[in-house]
Amino acid sequence: MVTTQLNQNLVHGQSVTNYNVGIGIADITGIVAGVNMMGYAMPGQIASGLHIRQRSRAFIIIDPDTGKRVVFVSADLAMGSLAVRRATLEKLKESFGDLYNDENVAISGTHTHAGPAGYLQYALYQITSFGYFKENTEAISTGIYNSIVKAHNSIQPASIFVSTGELLNTNINRSPFSYEQNPEEERSQYKYNVDKEMILLKFTNAKGDVIGSINWFPVHPVSMMNNNTLVSGDNKGTASYFLEREYNNSTLPGEETIIHAFANSNLGDSSPNIFGPYCADTGLPCEYRTSTCNGKKETCFGRGYGYLTGDDIYATRKIAELHVAKAKELIDTAKTPITGSIDYKFTKVNIQNYNFTLNGKTVSLCKAALGYSMIAGTTDGPGGFNFIQGDNSTGNPFWKLITRIIKQPTKETIECQRPKPIVLATGEMRSPYDFTPSIIEIQLLKIGNFIICVVPGEFTTMSGRRLTKTVKNILMKKGVIDENGIVIVSGPSNSYTHYITTPEEYLVQRYEGGSTIYGPNTLNAYLQLYTDLSIALADNLYVPIGPEAPDFTDKALNFVLPVIVDIPPLFKKFGDVTKDANKKYIRGETVTVEFVGGHPKNHIQLEGSFLYVQRLENNNNWVNFKNDGDITTKFKWLGNSIVRITWEIDDDVEAGTYRIFYQGHHKQLGGKIVPEFGITSNFLVS
């Protein structure tokens, strides 16, 4: 608790300090080579190195009058993971008892498609990753835990301000045909067919200095395409990197104290490929309903900022820079204080057995199933086989046969899921363990008059609008917030249940509809669940935690072969330089060097670095100038015990003497893991 003096509004030009706030950042980067990447579900997309490190950014907000607190974590992950969440909460319980728990901790993924896979416990997500990787779950959960600990240790009196603004040229709706199925009178209430408002919370200390921010803006982090093999936070993580560099320019990446999170929202149909989908072979726009070119989807791609150059990293940087420019503007203009109490509500629900009343009738959701259109993929990354989006026919005879061989859906599931043609009846597939979740988690966080709907899936634009409108109307009627209160969607968070479309969007069965696994009434069920949670929040009602989902991690399978032994090239030893630096470089050039190195799978460098660019100072002191979290460095595993490091020399790099330092680990015969390091020759930058 703090004194009343700290819990006051603006007085004599001093900062509002209605809350106690702690903010922390930590590394969550898992295995960076030799494992499948999470997001595109492409078996051949195997990680081979590092673009930038993935981070967890934690914000603890405490009501000094009641002691109630909430924790919001924005993590550079494809989605929330039950396995990661459980492991994180177990670590927190060991350190803090019940202070941080299921109910008041939210872990929200930015939805990057450029991270290592294998940290979800359900079998479906392990198919393309070839199993479950405890190492990744441990690295991610440890990193999230570390970020929360850092936030806890930095708690101080603080002010929170909110600001909103339109961010253009950053997202489009990738399924406009689906969106247009929503009622015209509803669509006419909105300026765009995708949300373009960034919503930002600014945190300042008692002196009025900025100590961090969180913003929400809906866009898929798919600027790095499905042929990328470098681990990255994609456009959201890169945006955080850029803004944190501005506020912490004397530190290395990962050492920041002023933290800026770029979280995601109702991103389900929102793409960064803003020039729209075109056929790669003809240059013509793709067919509108099915996103095909002459009946095939493989050449239909959304064009983003990297289209002309074919450069994913440029496209990632461009979308990130647009995010940063708007965030800086909102930080500068955020003058409206957040005031009011801190509260939260949370529950777990068996969604496949959930019954509710809709239009006077009792309805229930379906057992989970994926449609043909889910396998088809999107214009951000077409999928495999001969499926296309918008296919709600009775089905291809060949794939109907395959479906029967794998698991024939029951008649009940087929009827419930109509008009979805089912390719995988995942809710009925339980061998070797459940393929998709049946127990889901829903959560509301209240920060004064700012409400966060923490959702376990990808809501489309209109689904998110309906959810926030429903929650806001209830809380306004109950007097919890006024008309200036803000309600947002944050996700995919805590766990993952695929997509949530409107019933109208579901009927045309594009990718998002085919991925709405619990059937056409999924959104209506969520609306009822969040209605109940909103009423409980307003009336201070007890909400049971609900049923516990089974834990499959102990019996989860892993089909990726481990490293048996690392063998250096003939007449070389680990750490040797096989390609040295040139003697001189000028700004704008790229340093490329190679070392003999063990497989990166041997040791996860959490809070470490595979490389350092070092600068000579005072003629005898080497100082770490860049690490592998820097946007100008790249670390790549070439195989055959060779690693490559590149450094793009910025225009603002000081002239001087530099060298590249590498560190890694190799596995000897017998399984012992041994550290290694190497250093290039010195080189001049002029």
Side-chain angles (χ1 to χ4, degrees), residues 558-593:
N558 184 332
F559 298 99
V560 176
L561 294 176
V563 176
I564 305 300
V565 63
D566 290 298
I567 301 174
L570 196 61
F571 307 121
K572 297 289 184 181
K573 64 181 185 298
F574 289 102
D576 281 355
V577 178
T578 59
K579 181 178 181 180
D580 208 350
N582 299 335
K583 292 183 178 180
K584 292 182 180 180
Y585 294 89
I586 61 173
R587 297 183 185 99
E589 291 186 330
T590 298
V591 181
T592 301
V593 297

Side-chain angles (χ1 to χ4, degrees), residues 574-575 596-599 643 661-667 674-678:
F574 289 102
V596 178
H599 201 296
V643 300
F661 175 90
Y662 158 74
Q663 61 182 1
H665 292 75
H666 60 273
K667 181 180 281 191
V674 179
E676 68 208 15
F677 71 92

Side-chain angles (χ1 to χ4, degrees), residues 147-436:
S147 70
I148 295 173
V149 170
K150 289 181 181 180
H152 179 88
N153 292 336
S154 71
I155 291 170
Q156 61 183 305
S159 318
I160 310 175
F161 301 90
V162 65
S163 186
T164 65
E166 197 173 79
L167 173 54
L168 301 178
N169 303 316
T170 308
N171 65 347
I172 64 166
N173 194 307
R174 70 183 183 190
S175 283
F177 181 81
S178 296
Y179 179 87
E180 289 163 5
Q181 307 311 304
N182 295 305
E184 192 281 330
E185 60 268 27
E186 182 180 35
R187 288 184 281 120
S188 66
Q189 299 173 32
Y190 303 97
K191 186 176 179 181
Y192 302 108
N193 66 358
V194 67
D195 285 338
K196 294 183 180 290
E197 184 178 52
M198 178 181 280
I199 301 171
L200 181 140
L201 293 180
K202 176 176 74 173
F203 301 88
T204 61
N205 61 19
K207 296 179 181 179
D209 299 327
V210 173
I211 57 174
S213 71
I214 318 170
N215 68 71
W216 289 264
F217 180 81
V219 65
H220 260 76
V222 291
S223 296
M224 302 189 84
M225 303 294 282
N226 62 11
N227 59 353
N228 164 63
T229 61
L230 296 181
V231 169
S232 174
D234 206 287
N235 50 45
K236 293 283 186 179
T238 303
S240 286
Y241 167 87
F242 282 138
L243 193 53
E244 286 165 355
R245 290 293 83 212
E246 290 197 31
Y247 277 82
N248 304 269
N249 58 15
S250 62
T251 66
L252 290 173
E255 298 175 353
E256 299 88 350
T257 56
I258 303 172
I259 313 304
H260 299 283
F262 287 74
N264 233 317
S265 188
N266 51 326
L267 78 165
D269 48 5
S270 179
S271 169
N273 295 313
I274 64 163
F275 303 115
Y278 285 83
C279 298
D281 50 354
T282 66
L284 298 173
C286 302
E287 198 278 326
Y288 190 62
R289 173 171 179 158
T290 62
S291 297
T292 55
C293 303
N294 296 318
K296 296 185 177 182
K297 65 172 184 302
E298 287 78 9
T299 57
C300 176
F301 287 92
R303 291 181 177 177
Y305 285 107
Y307 161 66
L308 291 177
T309 62
D311 187 345
D312 288 2
I313 291 177
Y314 171 77
T316 301
R317 187 177 190 126
K318 179 65 176 177
I319 293 292
E321 288 171 345
L322 290 164
H323 273 75
V324 169
K326 179 56 63 173
K328 289 169 64 176
E329 174 191 318
L330 297 182
I331 289 171
D332 290 343
T333 59
K335 307 295 183 186
T336 303
I338 295 290
T339 59
S341 64
I342 299 296
D343 207 349
Y344 49 84
K345 291 296 175 183
F346 170 90
T347 192
K348 302 173 185 179
V349 180
N350 188 331
I351 196 74
Q352 294 187 140
N353 294 330
Y354 180 64
N355 300 314
F356 63 104
T357 302
L358 181 64
N359 299 325
K361 296 182 179 180
T362 300
V363 298
S364 59
L365 294 187
C366 313
K367 290 185 177 179
L370 294 169
Y372 285 12
S373 294
M374 184 272 176
I375 308 297
T378 73
T379 54
D380 292 333
F385 307 108
N386 59 338
F387 297 102
I388 61 171
Q389 292 195 73
D391 185 353
N392 58 5
S393 65
T394 56
N396 178 297
F398 172 76
W399 285 106
K400 288 177 74 174
L401 174 62
I402 296 298
T403 299
R404 282 198 292 269
I405 293 172
I406 298 173
K407 176 66 177 75
Q408 173 66 29
T410 62
K411 291 181 179 179
E412 179 186 22
T413 297
I414 293 172
E415 287 300 317
C416 186
Q417 291 275 356
R418 286 192 189 281
K420 178 192 290 178
I422 296 172
V423 67
L424 287 174
T426 58
E428 298 172 351
M429 299 169 68
R430 301 189 180 280
S431 179
Y433 35 87
D434 291 5
F435 267 59
T436 44

